Amino acid sequence: MNKEIFFNKKSIFFTIAIGIFLGFYFSPYMNITNAEKDIISIIIFSYGHLEISGINNVLPVLIWIFPQVFLMHKLGGYISDYISLFSVYIFTRTNNRVAWVLKLFGDLLLKVSIYYSLQFIGVFIVILINRVDMINFTIVKDIILVYLLVVLSGYFLVVLTNVLSTLLKSNYSYIIILFLYVLSIFSAGVIYNHFPDKLYFIKYIPFFQSLITWHDSGTFLLKYTNLLNLSIEGFTIIYSLIYLIVCSVLVITYFSIRIKRLDIY
């Protein structure tokens, strides 16, 4: 998938529209009496919330996974498509395949960042419509932290999908990742309802790292404790950031080693 396809006007409009929809959908969670918490709450609920006690309801789950599914649809086959188009050049003329692979993964990180930036613009449009205009350094810092977590979570999902689609040489990677995603979500509901003493397992599942309302209150979420519907001990924002970075690096490293050994696609 080339740059023009990903950044065409229709895709940009639709991506911003996703953010606007999420902003309006979660507007009831806004606390109009406290502008600072108001801004953070709508962002956190738009991108980091899923009511675990209501996971059996299909609609909240669909709303939660849709932005990720759309991202997978746009970028999940980016590397495999690139290899299909330029396999002869890559495998016969490229001296350093690893450098080429890292460049593609760097392009993916940029695209994922732009994707969520556009969606955040959509959410901020809703915030402005609601006339919440209190912005200070603390809010900006917290928004950036949430943004980084959402981007890294989306990036890991895209990295995993691209690696699978390339190694399997098929589109089954979308089905596999989506199946694992949905299975993980409903498994979390089972753990919550039937094995509450095992809730700590949730923090080891990669798909839940951006679910901010499931995190330990810690230093970041302490001032937003009224937003939390689940607090898993040790499941902090910093933990999730490190977790996602390490997992992404490991998957990219594995793929880089495999690509050095691959014959022409």
Side-chain angles (χ1 to χ4, degrees), residues 136 220-221:
N136 57 46
F220 167 68
L221 290 173

Side-chain angles (χ1 to χ4, degrees), residues 40 43-44 47 120 137-153 209-210 212 215-224 236-242 244-245:
I40 296 298
I43 293 174
I44 287 179
Y47 293 99
F120 270 52
F137 176 75
T138 301
I139 295 178
V140 172
K141 183 178 64 175
D142 290 346
I143 291 174
I144 291 174
L145 198 56
V146 174
Y147 172 79
L148 288 175
L149 185 59
V150 172
V151 167
L152 286 175
S153 181
Q209 299 306 311
S210 63
I212 297 172
H215 281 66
D216 193 337
S217 58
T219 55
F220 167 68
L221 290 173
L222 189 60
K223 53 185 176 293
Y224 308 122
T236 65
I237 301 296
I238 298 301
Y239 165 86
S240 291
L241 290 172
I242 295 174
L244 291 168
I245 291 172

Side-chain angles (χ1 to χ4, degrees), residues 173-192:
S173 60
Y174 297 97
I175 300 174
I176 293 172
I177 297 298
L178 187 58
F179 173 77
L180 291 176
Y181 209 144
V182 174
L183 179 64
S184 297
I185 290 173
F186 287 105
S187 296
V190 171
I191 294 174
Y192 177 79

Side-chain angles (χ1 to χ4, degrees), residues 79-97 100 259 262-265:
I79 292 179
S80 60
D81 290 346
Y82 199 99
I83 291 178
S84 296
L85 290 172
F86 303 105
S87 58
V88 174
Y89 172 80
I90 293 166
F91 291 96
T92 61
R93 300 183 182 181
T94 302
N95 296 323
N96 192 339
R97 294 182 187 177
W100 167 81
I259 206 71
L262 282 178
D263 293 324
I264 191 168
Y265 200 74

Side-chain angles (χ1 to χ4, degrees), residues 112-127:
V112 172
S113 300
I114 295 174
Y115 174 77
Y116 282 111
S117 295
L118 292 172
Q119 287 196 25
F120 270 52
I121 289 173
V123 174
F124 274 104
I125 289 173
V126 177
I127 291 174

